Amino acid sequence: MLQLDYQLIVDDHVEYQLYLASISERIQKKRLRNRIIVSIVYLILAVTLFLVASYMTGVLFLIIAVLWYVFYPMRDRKRYRKHYEAFFREDASNGKSSTIHAELTTSSIHLEEENSESTIKTTAIQFIDEIGLYYFIRFAKNKAIILPKSQIHHKAAFKNWVDMVTEQHNIERNTDLNWTWK
């Protein structure tokens, strides 16, 4: 049995949500569609203005179309981050994080927080994701246990637990140590 005591802050929850967004095909399609559709609208306006009205106004709309296409990803990244931060800051109780006590065995995960306690069978785990600063143990419907690597004191024991559980229950394991929100 492996025991972990750790705390989660708002940024930990935000990183998990951004990670989910980055691997969600639906969200990636939506982000690409927004980038392309607005650029196309500006291009259509630019061409229309070239043909019908003012050359300079057409050039202006062409520049706006190109700038939108180039800079939209940066705006979109910030917008997603701000959205998740606002949600979790509003949801956090007085900005304090409670200590989580976790007991990990090959058959279950037992979690205790200030006002709750739960036991989850390891057979319910669908994915174990590892990114630069976190492990995410994911279950159905995007429920997860977020584990900041900096708060895992027995790293070798935890890696052994992950290896045993993924092998024993045939759990998909995703590792992207260079992941960043894009």
PDB file of all heavy atoms in Angstrom, residues 1-2 103-109 122 125 128 137 147 155-167:
ATOM      1  N   MET A   1       0.851  -1.183   0.000  1.00  0.00           N
ATOM      2  CA  MET A   1       0.000   0.000   0.000  1.00  0.00           C
ATOM      3  C   MET A   1       0.892   1.241   0.000  1.00  0.00           C
ATOM      4  O   MET A   1       1.870   1.316   0.723  1.00  0.00           O
ATOM      5  CB  MET A   1      -0.911  -0.009   1.226  1.00  0.00           C
ATOM      6  CG  MET A   1      -1.746   1.229   1.331  1.00  0.00           C
ATOM      7  SD  MET A   1      -3.029   1.217   2.581  1.00  0.00           S
ATOM      8  CE  MET A   1      -2.122   0.990   4.074  1.00  0.00           C
ATOM      9  N   LEU A   2       0.518   2.189  -0.816  1.00  0.00           N
ATOM     10  CA  LEU A   2       1.236   3.459  -0.930  1.00  0.00           C
ATOM     11  C   LEU A   2       0.337   4.561  -0.403  1.00  0.00           C
ATOM     12  O   LEU A   2      -0.830   4.649  -0.773  1.00  0.00           O
ATOM     13  CB  LEU A   2       1.589   3.720  -2.398  1.00  0.00           C
ATOM     14  CG  LEU A   2       2.273   5.033  -2.739  1.00  0.00           C
ATOM     15  CD1 LEU A   2       3.635   5.127  -2.057  1.00  0.00           C
ATOM     16  CD2 LEU A   2       2.419   5.173  -4.233  1.00  0.00           C
ATOM     17  N   GLU A 103      -4.686   6.427  -0.257  1.00  0.00           N
ATOM     18  CA  GLU A 103      -4.066   5.121  -0.045  1.00  0.00           C
ATOM     19  C   GLU A 103      -4.265   4.324  -1.321  1.00  0.00           C
ATOM     20  O   GLU A 103      -5.403   4.054  -1.724  1.00  0.00           O
ATOM     21  CB  GLU A 103      -4.696   4.407   1.144  1.00  0.00           C
ATOM     22  CG  GLU A 103      -4.414   5.096   2.460  1.00  0.00           C
ATOM     23  CD  GLU A 103      -5.092   4.412   3.640  1.00  0.00           C
ATOM     24  OE1 GLU A 103      -5.808   3.405   3.444  1.00  0.00           O
ATOM     25  OE2 GLU A 103      -4.905   4.911   4.765  1.00  0.00           O
ATOM     26  N   LEU A 104      -3.166   3.971  -1.955  1.00  0.00           N
ATOM     27  CA  LEU A 104      -3.219   3.283  -3.244  1.00  0.00           C
ATOM     28  C   LEU A 104      -2.806   1.825  -3.067  1.00  0.00           C
ATOM     29  O   LEU A 104      -1.727   1.535  -2.539  1.00  0.00           O
ATOM     30  CB  LEU A 104      -2.269   3.953  -4.237  1.00  0.00           C
ATOM     31  CG  LEU A 104      -2.371   5.472  -4.381  1.00  0.00           C
ATOM     32  CD1 LEU A 104      -1.261   6.009  -5.245  1.00  0.00           C
ATOM     33  CD2 LEU A 104      -3.715   5.856  -4.944  1.00  0.00           C
ATOM     34  N   THR A 105      -3.662   0.923  -3.500  1.00  0.00           N
ATOM     35  CA  THR A 105      -3.321  -0.494  -3.553  1.00  0.00           C
ATOM     36  C   THR A 105      -3.560  -0.955  -4.980  1.00  0.00           C
ATOM     37  O   THR A 105      -4.100  -0.206  -5.800  1.00  0.00           O
ATOM     38  CB  THR A 105      -4.189  -1.336  -2.578  1.00  0.00           C
ATOM     39  OG1 THR A 105      -5.547  -1.308  -3.035  1.00  0.00           O
ATOM     40  CG2 THR A 105      -4.091  -0.811  -1.155  1.00  0.00           C
ATOM     41  N   THR A 106      -3.218  -2.177  -5.277  1.00  0.00           N
ATOM     42  CA  THR A 106      -3.440  -2.670  -6.641  1.00  0.00           C
ATOM     43  C   THR A 106      -4.913  -2.918  -6.927  1.00  0.00           C
ATOM     44  O   THR A 106      -5.300  -3.030  -8.081  1.00  0.00           O
ATOM     45  CB  THR A 106      -2.639  -3.960  -6.901  1.00  0.00           C
ATOM     46  OG1 THR A 106      -2.980  -4.920  -5.905  1.00  0.00           O
ATOM     47  CG2 THR A 106      -1.140  -3.680  -6.901  1.00  0.00           C
ATOM     48  N   SER A 107      -5.737  -2.955  -5.893  1.00  0.00           N
ATOM     49  CA  SER A 107      -7.163  -3.214  -6.115  1.00  0.00           C
ATOM     50  C   SER A 107      -8.049  -1.990  -5.909  1.00  0.00           C
ATOM     51  O   SER A 107      -9.180  -1.959  -6.387  1.00  0.00           O
ATOM     52  CB  SER A 107      -7.648  -4.344  -5.209  1.00  0.00           C
ATOM     53  OG  SER A 107      -7.489  -3.974  -3.858  1.00  0.00           O
ATOM     54  N   SER A 108      -7.550  -0.967  -5.178  1.00  0.00           N
ATOM     55  CA  SER A 108      -8.397   0.203  -4.928  1.00  0.00           C
ATOM     56  C   SER A 108      -7.580   1.447  -4.609  1.00  0.00           C
ATOM     57  O   SER A 108      -6.395   1.373  -4.295  1.00  0.00           O
ATOM     58  CB  SER A 108      -9.365  -0.074  -3.776  1.00  0.00           C
ATOM     59  OG  SER A 108      -8.643  -0.195  -2.570  1.00  0.00           O
ATOM     60  N   ILE A 109      -8.280   2.564  -4.677  1.00  0.00           N
ATOM     61  CA  ILE A 109      -7.736   3.860  -4.274  1.00  0.00           C
ATOM     62  C   ILE A 109      -8.700   4.409  -3.236  1.00  0.00           C
ATOM     63  O   ILE A 109      -9.891   4.562  -3.513  1.00  0.00           O
ATOM     64  CB  ILE A 109      -7.640   4.836  -5.465  1.00  0.00           C
ATOM     65  CG1 ILE A 109      -6.756   4.262  -6.566  1.00  0.00           C
ATOM     66  CG2 ILE A 109      -7.133   6.197  -5.006  1.00  0.00           C
ATOM     67  CD1 ILE A 109      -6.801   5.055  -7.865  1.00  0.00           C
ATOM     68  N   THR A 122      -9.596  -0.019  -8.700  1.00  0.00           N
ATOM     69  CA  THR A 122      -8.648   0.291  -9.775  1.00  0.00           C
ATOM     70  C   THR A 122      -9.154  -0.215 -11.128  1.00  0.00           C
ATOM     71  O   THR A 122      -8.702   0.272 -12.162  1.00  0.00           O
ATOM     72  CB  THR A 122      -7.252  -0.290  -9.483  1.00  0.00           C
ATOM     73  OG1 THR A 122      -7.372  -1.674  -9.188  1.00  0.00           O
ATOM     74  CG2 THR A 122      -6.580   0.441  -8.335  1.00  0.00           C
ATOM     75  N   ILE A 125     -10.394   2.565 -13.423  1.00  0.00           N
ATOM     76  CA  ILE A 125      -9.456   3.483 -14.078  1.00  0.00           C
ATOM     77  C   ILE A 125      -9.461   3.219 -15.580  1.00  0.00           C
ATOM     78  O   ILE A 125      -9.321   2.078 -16.019  1.00  0.00           O
ATOM     79  CB  ILE A 125      -8.021   3.322 -13.525  1.00  0.00           C
ATOM     80  CG1 ILE A 125      -7.984   3.638 -12.031  1.00  0.00           C
ATOM     81  CG2 ILE A 125      -7.048   4.223 -14.294  1.00  0.00           C
ATOM     82  CD1 ILE A 125      -6.645   3.311 -11.374  1.00  0.00           C
ATOM     83  N   ILE A 128      -4.207   6.482 -17.334  1.00  0.00           N
ATOM     84  CA  ILE A 128      -3.279   7.169 -16.443  1.00  0.00           C
ATOM     85  C   ILE A 128      -2.404   8.019 -17.352  1.00  0.00           C
ATOM     86  O   ILE A 128      -1.685   7.504 -18.200  1.00  0.00           O
ATOM     87  CB  ILE A 128      -2.434   6.197 -15.593  1.00  0.00           C
ATOM     88  CG1 ILE A 128      -3.345   5.393 -14.662  1.00  0.00           C
ATOM     89  CG2 ILE A 128      -1.379   6.976 -14.796  1.00  0.00           C
ATOM     90  CD1 ILE A 128      -2.640   4.379 -13.790  1.00  0.00           C
ATOM     91  N   ILE A 137      -5.142  10.402 -13.034  1.00  0.00           N
ATOM     92  CA  ILE A 137      -5.742   9.074 -13.048  1.00  0.00           C
ATOM     93  C   ILE A 137      -7.199   9.296 -13.420  1.00  0.00           C
ATOM     94  O   ILE A 137      -7.983   9.805 -12.621  1.00  0.00           O
ATOM     95  CB  ILE A 137      -5.591   8.390 -11.677  1.00  0.00           C
ATOM     96  CG1 ILE A 137      -4.107   8.275 -11.312  1.00  0.00           C
ATOM     97  CG2 ILE A 137      -6.264   7.016 -11.690  1.00  0.00           C
ATOM     98  CD1 ILE A 137      -3.843   7.791  -9.900  1.00  0.00           C
ATOM     99  N   LEU A 147      -2.739  14.373  -9.452  1.00  0.00           N
ATOM    100  CA  LEU A 147      -1.601  14.203  -8.555  1.00  0.00           C
ATOM    101  C   LEU A 147      -0.430  15.059  -9.026  1.00  0.00           C
ATOM    102  O   LEU A 147       0.219  14.726 -10.021  1.00  0.00           O
ATOM    103  CB  LEU A 147      -1.163  12.731  -8.510  1.00  0.00           C
ATOM    104  CG  LEU A 147      -2.129  11.763  -7.859  1.00  0.00           C
ATOM    105  CD1 LEU A 147      -1.742  10.329  -8.169  1.00  0.00           C
ATOM    106  CD2 LEU A 147      -2.148  11.987  -6.368  1.00  0.00           C
ATOM    107  N   LYS A 155       8.443   8.749  -5.151  1.00  0.00           N
ATOM    108  CA  LYS A 155       8.265   8.690  -6.603  1.00  0.00           C
ATOM    109  C   LYS A 155       8.481   7.285  -7.169  1.00  0.00           C
ATOM    110  O   LYS A 155       7.728   6.830  -8.016  1.00  0.00           O
ATOM    111  CB  LYS A 155       9.191   9.694  -7.277  1.00  0.00           C
ATOM    112  CG  LYS A 155       8.766  11.137  -7.018  1.00  0.00           C
ATOM    113  CD  LYS A 155       9.709  12.107  -7.686  1.00  0.00           C
ATOM    114  CE  LYS A 155       9.433  13.549  -7.453  1.00  0.00           C
ATOM    115  NZ  LYS A 155       8.463  14.012  -6.547  1.00  0.00           N
ATOM    116  N   ALA A 156       9.491   6.590  -6.697  1.00  0.00           N
ATOM    117  CA  ALA A 156       9.765   5.240  -7.197  1.00  0.00           C
ATOM    118  C   ALA A 156       8.623   4.293  -6.839  1.00  0.00           C
ATOM    119  O   ALA A 156       8.182   3.492  -7.678  1.00  0.00           O
ATOM    120  CB  ALA A 156      11.079   4.721  -6.641  1.00  0.00           C
ATOM    121  N   ALA A 157       8.125   4.378  -5.625  1.00  0.00           N
ATOM    122  CA  ALA A 157       7.010   3.525  -5.205  1.00  0.00           C
ATOM    123  C   ALA A 157       5.759   3.844  -6.016  1.00  0.00           C
ATOM    124  O   ALA A 157       5.010   2.932  -6.399  1.00  0.00           O
ATOM    125  CB  ALA A 157       6.746   3.699  -3.711  1.00  0.00           C
ATOM    126  N   PHE A 158       5.532   5.140  -6.288  1.00  0.00           N
ATOM    127  CA  PHE A 158       4.366   5.513  -7.085  1.00  0.00           C
ATOM    128  C   PHE A 158       4.493   4.982  -8.503  1.00  0.00           C
ATOM    129  O   PHE A 158       3.534   4.449  -9.059  1.00  0.00           O
ATOM    130  CB  PHE A 158       4.165   7.031  -7.101  1.00  0.00           C
ATOM    131  CG  PHE A 158       2.958   7.444  -7.893  1.00  0.00           C
ATOM    132  CD1 PHE A 158       1.688   7.275  -7.368  1.00  0.00           C
ATOM    133  CD2 PHE A 158       3.081   7.963  -9.171  1.00  0.00           C
ATOM    134  CE1 PHE A 158       0.551   7.622  -8.103  1.00  0.00           C
ATOM    135  CE2 PHE A 158       1.965   8.311  -9.908  1.00  0.00           C
ATOM    136  CZ  PHE A 158       0.694   8.146  -9.370  1.00  0.00           C
ATOM    137  N   LYS A 159       5.680   5.103  -9.109  1.00  0.00           N
ATOM    138  CA  LYS A 159       5.884   4.573 -10.467  1.00  0.00           C
ATOM    139  C   LYS A 159       5.660   3.062 -10.496  1.00  0.00           C
ATOM    140  O   LYS A 159       5.071   2.535 -11.438  1.00  0.00           O
ATOM    141  CB  LYS A 159       7.273   4.925 -10.986  1.00  0.00           C
ATOM    142  CG  LYS A 159       7.386   6.338 -11.492  1.00  0.00           C
ATOM    143  CD  LYS A 159       8.686   6.525 -12.261  1.00  0.00           C
ATOM    144  CE  LYS A 159       8.758   7.904 -12.802  1.00  0.00           C
ATOM    145  NZ  LYS A 159       8.294   8.001 -14.173  1.00  0.00           N
ATOM    146  N   ASN A 160       6.119   2.361  -9.461  1.00  0.00           N
ATOM    147  CA  ASN A 160       5.881   0.916  -9.374  1.00  0.00           C
ATOM    148  C   ASN A 160       4.385   0.617  -9.299  1.00  0.00           C
ATOM    149  O   ASN A 160       3.894  -0.314  -9.930  1.00  0.00           O
ATOM    150  CB  ASN A 160       6.594   0.306  -8.158  1.00  0.00           C
ATOM    151  CG  ASN A 160       8.090   0.243  -8.360  1.00  0.00           C
ATOM    152  OD1 ASN A 160       8.576   0.266  -9.484  1.00  0.00           O
ATOM    153  ND2 ASN A 160       8.816   0.177  -7.262  1.00  0.00           N
ATOM    154  N   TRP A 161       3.650   1.416  -8.513  1.00  0.00           N
ATOM    155  CA  TRP A 161       2.200   1.229  -8.412  1.00  0.00           C
ATOM    156  C   TRP A 161       1.542   1.432  -9.781  1.00  0.00           C
ATOM    157  O   TRP A 161       0.696   0.631 -10.188  1.00  0.00           O
ATOM    158  CB  TRP A 161       1.601   2.190  -7.380  1.00  0.00           C
ATOM    159  CG  TRP A 161       0.119   2.063  -7.263  1.00  0.00           C
ATOM    160  CD1 TRP A 161      -0.575   1.160  -6.517  1.00  0.00           C
ATOM    161  CD2 TRP A 161      -0.862   2.849  -7.962  1.00  0.00           C
ATOM    162  NE1 TRP A 161      -1.926   1.340  -6.700  1.00  0.00           N
ATOM    163  CE2 TRP A 161      -2.133   2.376  -7.580  1.00  0.00           C
ATOM    164  CE3 TRP A 161      -0.788   3.906  -8.853  1.00  0.00           C
ATOM    165  CZ2 TRP A 161      -3.308   2.911  -8.062  1.00  0.00           C
ATOM    166  CZ3 TRP A 161      -1.965   4.451  -9.340  1.00  0.00           C
ATOM    167  CH2 TRP A 161      -3.211   3.955  -8.945  1.00  0.00           C
ATOM    168  N   VAL A 162       1.935   2.497 -10.481  1.00  0.00           N
ATOM    169  CA  VAL A 162       1.376   2.772 -11.810  1.00  0.00           C
ATOM    170  C   VAL A 162       1.675   1.607 -12.749  1.00  0.00           C
ATOM    171  O   VAL A 162       0.785   1.132 -13.469  1.00  0.00           O
ATOM    172  CB  VAL A 162       1.923   4.105 -12.385  1.00  0.00           C
ATOM    173  CG1 VAL A 162       1.570   4.251 -13.863  1.00  0.00           C
ATOM    174  CG2 VAL A 162       1.394   5.280 -11.595  1.00  0.00           C
ATOM    175  N   ASP A 163       2.911   1.117 -12.745  1.00  0.00           N
ATOM    176  CA  ASP A 163       3.287   0.000 -13.614  1.00  0.00           C
ATOM    177  C   ASP A 163       2.453  -1.246 -13.301  1.00  0.00           C
ATOM    178  O   ASP A 163       1.952  -1.913 -14.208  1.00  0.00           O
ATOM    179  CB  ASP A 163       4.779  -0.322 -13.471  1.00  0.00           C
ATOM    180  CG  ASP A 163       5.668   0.773 -14.039  1.00  0.00           C
ATOM    181  OD1 ASP A 163       5.182   1.573 -14.870  1.00  0.00           O
ATOM    182  OD2 ASP A 163       6.852   0.831 -13.647  1.00  0.00           O
ATOM    183  N   MET A 164       2.310  -1.569 -12.028  1.00  0.00           N
ATOM    184  CA  MET A 164       1.548  -2.756 -11.635  1.00  0.00           C
ATOM    185  C   MET A 164       0.085  -2.634 -12.027  1.00  0.00           C
ATOM    186  O   MET A 164      -0.502  -3.567 -12.582  1.00  0.00           O
ATOM    187  CB  MET A 164       1.658  -2.990 -10.117  1.00  0.00           C
ATOM    188  CG  MET A 164       2.971  -3.577  -9.684  1.00  0.00           C
ATOM    189  SD  MET A 164       2.996  -4.140  -7.970  1.00  0.00           S
ATOM    190  CE  MET A 164       2.287  -2.783  -7.071  1.00  0.00           C
ATOM    191  N   VAL A 165      -0.513  -1.481 -11.729  1.00  0.00           N
ATOM    192  CA  VAL A 165      -1.945  -1.302 -11.998  1.00  0.00           C
ATOM    193  C   VAL A 165      -2.225  -1.296 -13.501  1.00  0.00           C
ATOM    194  O   VAL A 165      -3.183  -1.924 -13.955  1.00  0.00           O
ATOM    195  CB  VAL A 165      -2.466  -0.013 -11.324  1.00  0.00           C
ATOM    196  CG1 VAL A 165      -3.844   0.358 -11.811  1.00  0.00           C
ATOM    197  CG2 VAL A 165      -2.476  -0.175  -9.820  1.00  0.00           C
ATOM    198  N   THR A 166      -1.416  -0.615 -14.277  1.00  0.00           N
ATOM    199  CA  THR A 166      -1.655  -0.572 -15.726  1.00  0.00           C
ATOM    200  C   THR A 166      -1.485  -1.953 -16.345  1.00  0.00           C
ATOM    201  O   THR A 166      -2.247  -2.322 -17.238  1.00  0.00           O
ATOM    202  CB  THR A 166      -0.728   0.443 -16.427  1.00  0.00           C
ATOM    203  OG1 THR A 166       0.624   0.164 -16.106  1.00  0.00           O
ATOM    204  CG2 THR A 166      -1.078   1.860 -16.064  1.00  0.00           C
ATOM    205  N   GLU A 167      -0.524  -2.698 -15.873  1.00  0.00           N
ATOM    206  CA  GLU A 167      -0.311  -4.050 -16.402  1.00  0.00           C
ATOM    207  C   GLU A 167      -1.407  -5.006 -15.935  1.00  0.00           C
ATOM    208  O   GLU A 167      -1.960  -5.772 -16.720  1.00  0.00           O
ATOM    209  CB  GLU A 167       1.058  -4.576 -15.958  1.00  0.00           C
ATOM    210  CG  GLU A 167       1.436  -5.893 -16.597  1.00  0.00           C
ATOM    211  CD  GLU A 167       2.831  -6.329 -16.200  1.00  0.00           C
ATOM    212  OE1 GLU A 167       3.753  -5.496 -16.264  1.00  0.00           O
ATOM    213  OE2 GLU A 167       2.971  -7.504 -15.822  1.00  0.00           O
TER     214      GLU A 167
END
